[in-house]
Amino acid sequence: MKMIGSDYVLEAHNIFHTTEVDGGGCFNGAGNSALVLKGVNLTVHSGEVMAILGSKGSGKRALLDVISRRADGATRGQVLLNGSPLSKALFQQRCGYVTQSCTFVPGLTVAQTLHYTPTILSGYLKSSKVRQVLADLALSQVAHKRVEYLNISEARRLAIGIQLVRDPVMLLLDEPTHGLDPLSAYLLISILSNTAKKTGCGILLSLEKPRSDVFPFLDRALFLCLGGVVYSGGTRAMLEYFHGIGFPCPQLENPLMYYLCLSTVDRRSRDRFLESSQQIEALVERFSRETPISDAPLNNMGSGKVPLAYGKPGELKVWVMLYLKLLASTFSCGLVGMKTLFLRLLLLPLALSILWAFYTDVGDDSHGFFTKNGMILNILGLSYGCGILTTISLFPIWRKKFSQDTPEGLYSGTTLLIAYNSVSIPFSAVSAVIASCVVYPLLLDVKYNNGTVFAYLLVALWSSFVLAEQLTIAFLLVVKVPFNAAIAVTYVLVKSIALASGTVRSFKGLQPWLQDSTKGTHTRYASSLLHSIAFQSRKLNCTPTASVICPKPADFMHERLGLPDPDETIDVAASCAFAVGLAAFNMLVYLFPMPRCVRQKFKD
């Protein structure tokens, strides 16, 4: 564990950063770029709280992103931790970053959310650390409160707690007081100051409208305007510095806001804009002259070696945490848990039970054959639809959490999908068993009890549900709005049903190349299994008369599917291969980094 007396120094030297200011999109080429940071220097020691102050667009978030190695664009300069270059891997291992928006898994309590945060600690040490963080952040009284019921102040402190459980040596926060009332903002800054002094963690936070009551809790301040540094240093020295250059803070004024206004461009008129811009350029130039840039780091402790308190948790341990988090959310006592269990277990059986209102007492004549053919269409459509609805209801929160956790390097998309599928697939199998019991009497008479036929039905329902689920997960990788992803998946599956199921139109009506293309769809094999169950797994009860035509199952299936005698073994293997193969494909795709335009889409 990091000792309180450990000395860490975070330094930034002569940071210049250029980034795109208007997105060019994935297909429109690069957008316009701008220099957003201009020669920024800062130093933060262990146990200190440093505030980055500036108006909107001054470069506060860009500076935090550069330090955390999350920034897109070109960067020049040095970021050092104890004199050693702060790489992305080192930042992920030893530092933390709290953004304005933090997603929590609904259904979990505050204590569970902290406990399931992946760290190298386990057992008693992990529990002790969680209790300590709850106490330090004044969250002990809401430890058993579900995260969806937290107010904004409690949620902000929980987001900070998730990082503190990992015991960082430096903690970055992007406007932690944004949206908080004055009392909550004061409480949060005071808690951060106490935490810094108690644990030795250095804290670097950005503020847009600081109040005077937080001034005593700040050890250092950095004023930014349009990427340039107006002042960087201790808060006590700040008053002396500005007084020395002719800008003393009036009595009873908030020094933070006074000098922030001094460092802000006045856009109320053209004359004021020009005047304030010239004044700020002069202040930036003067501070740059009076604090020359040092080529060497300020701290040479340990010859550039950074002592590591903890290592990075392994993939297996992270998977276990994700899996337990999924289970805890699923079985939570509340609306979230009830909704999750309903979607995972009962949605498919209840949807298929609707068929009992339309498909009872179906005969074996030609009319009955077409009626059962329509029932197969409904079974496929409902199975696909339930898979889509379940996924767009449950997976987006995990996709959003993954997009926020990706910069921290805690786990890969593959690890997330393995954990998600480890919970989802067993539930879908149980749901498919219940649904098969519901549909089986409609396709076959109850007296024809056949375990093999029931297994065929189970495979058809389960693989259809899982395929729709995995296809939706694939679209949600690049589509942010779940409803849009559902529309795209529905379109693909409707096309598949229309061409390959033999229920909307017969194979004889398709061009030869379309008939061959249906072999590359899951629908062809699942529909073939359902047709085999409905038409070839029992003796038909039909007596031909002048008004009743009794078609032969082989002729009917040859017309609808192009196969007079389907091979159920191939259909079972192909149905499962499509579902499992798509799940494996998603795990592979989620390994690769997404383009910047996709990352920006999921960035709040």
Side-chain angles (χ1 to χ4, degrees):
M1 181 176 295
K2 177 174 86 275
M3 300 302 293
I4 294 177
S6 298
D7 185 21
Y8 294 86
V9 181
L10 174 67
E11 303 165 67
H13 293 281
N14 203 23
I15 299 297
F16 288 83
H17 179 67
T18 304
T19 188
E20 291 184 14
V21 293
D22 55 349
C26 291
F27 307 104
N28 299 327
N32 297 325
S33 60
L35 186 63
V36 294
L37 295 176
K38 307 168 187 176
V40 177
N41 297 273
L42 65 83
T43 303
V44 186
H45 292 261
S46 294
E48 290 184 339
V49 178
M50 181 174 192
I52 304 175
L53 304 163
S55 59
K56 191 173 183 179
S58 60
K60 301 188 299 296
R61 180 177 296 178
L63 179 57
L64 293 177
D65 287 344
V66 167
I67 294 173
S68 62
R69 299 313 191 193
R70 300 186 182 191
D72 295 311
T75 302
R76 290 189 291 113
Q78 286 184 307
V79 179
L80 308 172
L81 182 62
N82 281 10
S84 178
L86 184 58
S87 63
K88 184 175 182 179
L90 181 58
F91 183 89
Q92 292 172 347
Q93 190 176 25
R94 297 307 300 127
C95 304
Y97 189 2
V98 181
T99 59
Q100 283 189 35
S101 59
C102 185
T103 301
F104 306 117
V105 178
L108 299 184
T109 64
V110 171
Q112 286 176 322
T113 300
L114 293 178
H115 184 76
Y116 292 135
T117 300
T119 69
I120 201 169
L121 293 176
S122 60
Y124 175 76
L125 290 178
K126 180 72 172 287
S127 300
S128 299
K129 185 66 177 179
V130 169
R131 287 194 298 270
Q132 175 191 329
V133 170
L134 287 171
D136 291 344
L137 297 179
L139 290 173
S140 298
Q141 292 184 345
V142 295
H144 301 292
K145 189 177 182 179
R146 304 202 179 280
V147 294
E148 58 267 29
Y149 301 122
L150 297 177
N151 60 41
I152 185 173
S153 175
E154 294 165 344
R156 198 67 54 82
R157 281 178 276 147
L158 176 58
I160 296 170
I162 290 174
Q163 296 298 327
L164 291 180
V165 165
R166 298 170 55 203
D167 200 33
V169 298
M170 291 289 167
L171 180 62
L172 279 57
L173 302 100
D174 182 18
E175 297 196 19
T177 60
H178 178 75
L180 298 183
D181 60 84
L183 182 60
S184 297
Y186 174 84
L187 174 64
L188 181 60
I189 298 299
S190 65
I191 286 175
L192 289 174
S193 177
N194 291 334
T195 299
K197 301 299 185 291
K198 179 179 179 180
T199 65
C201 173
I203 292 179
L204 181 63
L205 55 89
S206 61
L207 296 172
E208 186 173 349
K209 296 180 180 179
R211 292 172 54 85
S212 59
D213 53 7
V214 305
F215 182 76
F217 299 112
L218 304 180
D219 301 291
R220 293 175 179 267
L222 168 67
F223 287 89
L224 284 177
C225 182
L226 301 179
V229 178
V230 176
Y231 174 80
S232 178
T235 51
R236 293 184 179 180
M238 174 187 73
L239 300 176
E240 299 175 1
Y241 170 78
F242 281 108
H243 188 277
I245 62 174
F247 294 97
C249 180
Q251 290 186 353
L252 304 180
E253 278 281 351
N254 175 5
L256 297 176
M257 280 301 298
Y258 180 77
Y259 292 123
L260 178 58
C261 293
L262 184 67
S263 309
T264 302
V265 175
D266 191 341
R267 303 178 186 274
R268 289 177 292 180
S269 68
R270 184 176 182 275
D271 292 338
R272 288 184 176 183
F273 176 80
L274 294 175
E275 181 182 355
S276 61
S277 297
Q278 292 173 357
Q279 176 179 284
I280 291 171
E281 287 180 4
L283 288 172
V284 171
E285 178 66 24
R286 180 156 188 170
F287 182 77
S288 178
R289 288 198 314 267
E290 297 194 7
T291 55
I293 301 169
S294 174
D295 295 329
L298 300 179
N299 180 72
N300 293 309
M301 189 195 77
S303 302
K305 296 182 179 179
V306 181
L308 302 180
Y310 301 140
K312 183 180 177 181
E315 285 288 325
L316 178 60
K317 187 165 189 177
V318 174
W319 173 83
V320 171
M321 290 292 102
L322 289 172
Y323 179 74
L324 292 176
K325 192 182 294 186
L326 277 156
L327 287 180
S329 177
T330 301
F331 291 106
S332 62
C333 298
L335 292 177
V336 173
M338 293 173 61
K339 169 190 169 183
T340 305
L341 284 174
F342 172 79
L343 290 171
R344 292 195 186 280
L345 282 180
L346 301 179
L347 178 63
L348 181 61
L350 287 177
L352 293 180
S353 66
I354 298 174
L355 299 179
W356 279 87
F358 305 98
Y359 294 104
T360 55
D361 299 326
V362 178
D364 291 329
D365 57 0
S366 59
H367 178 73
F369 269 45
F370 281 100
T371 301
K372 286 197 172 183
N373 194 50
M375 180 170 60
I376 291 172
L377 168 65
N378 283 287
I379 291 174
L380 286 172
L382 288 171
S383 299
Y384 286 146
C386 290
I388 296 171
L389 179 59
T390 299
T391 309
I392 65 170
S393 300
L394 301 181
F395 186 74
I397 189 69
W398 296 96
R399 173 64 180 88
K400 185 176 181 181
K401 189 80 172 84
F402 167 66
S403 67
Q404 293 181 355
D405 290 346
T406 296
E408 297 181 8
L410 289 177
Y411 56 90
S412 65
T414 299
T415 304
L416 170 65
L417 287 186
I418 292 175
Y420 186 86
N421 290 332
S422 297
V423 174
S424 175
I425 289 179
F427 271 106
S428 63
V430 174
S431 179
V433 169
I434 301 172
S436 299
C437 295
V438 172
V439 176
Y440 188 85
L442 289 176
L443 290 172
L444 286 170
D445 293 337
V446 179
K447 61 183 179 180
Y448 294 102
N449 291 323
N450 188 318
T452 303
V453 174
F454 184 86
Y456 293 160
L457 177 59
L458 173 60
V459 168
L461 297 182
W462 175 80
S463 63
S464 298
F465 183 94
V466 172
L467 180 116
E469 176 186 53
Q470 296 299 323
L471 190 58
T472 307
I473 288 175
F475 274 88
L476 286 172
L477 176 63
V478 294
V479 180
K480 182 178 181 179
V481 181
F483 182 73
N484 293 343
I487 291 176
V489 176
T490 301
Y491 176 80
V492 171
L493 293 178
V494 166
K495 283 287 188 180
S496 178
I497 290 175
L499 292 176
S501 68
T503 57
V504 177
R505 61 181 301 175
S506 65
F507 268 55
K508 288 185 177 181
L510 298 177
Q511 296 292 330
W513 67 273
L514 280 177
Q515 294 182 14
D516 292 336
S517 66
T518 60
K519 296 178 182 178
T521 66
H522 165 270
T523 306
R524 175 184 176 92
Y525 304 100
S527 178
S528 179
L529 276 176
L530 293 174
H531 277 85
S532 297
I533 296 169
F535 300 111
Q536 289 190 329
S537 299
R538 63 185 180 84
K539 294 181 180 179
L540 300 181
N541 182 19
C542 180
T543 303
T545 64
S547 60
V548 177
I549 300 176
C550 298
K552 294 181 179 179
D555 294 339
F556 183 81
M557 294 183 66
H558 184 267
E559 177 185 354
R560 306 306 300 182
L561 295 174
L563 298 170
D565 187 20
D567 189 335
E568 289 84 0
T569 303
I570 294 178
D571 292 337
V572 168
S575 297
C576 294
F578 272 99
V580 176
L582 187 54
F585 173 78
N586 284 339
M587 294 178 191
L588 179 64
V589 171
Y590 269 67
L591 270 177
F592 296 99
M594 291 297 102
R596 181 178 183 271
C597 58
V598 176
R599 296 199 309 270
Q600 288 295 112
K601 188 184 302 183
F602 288 92
K603 188 176 180 180
D604 292 323

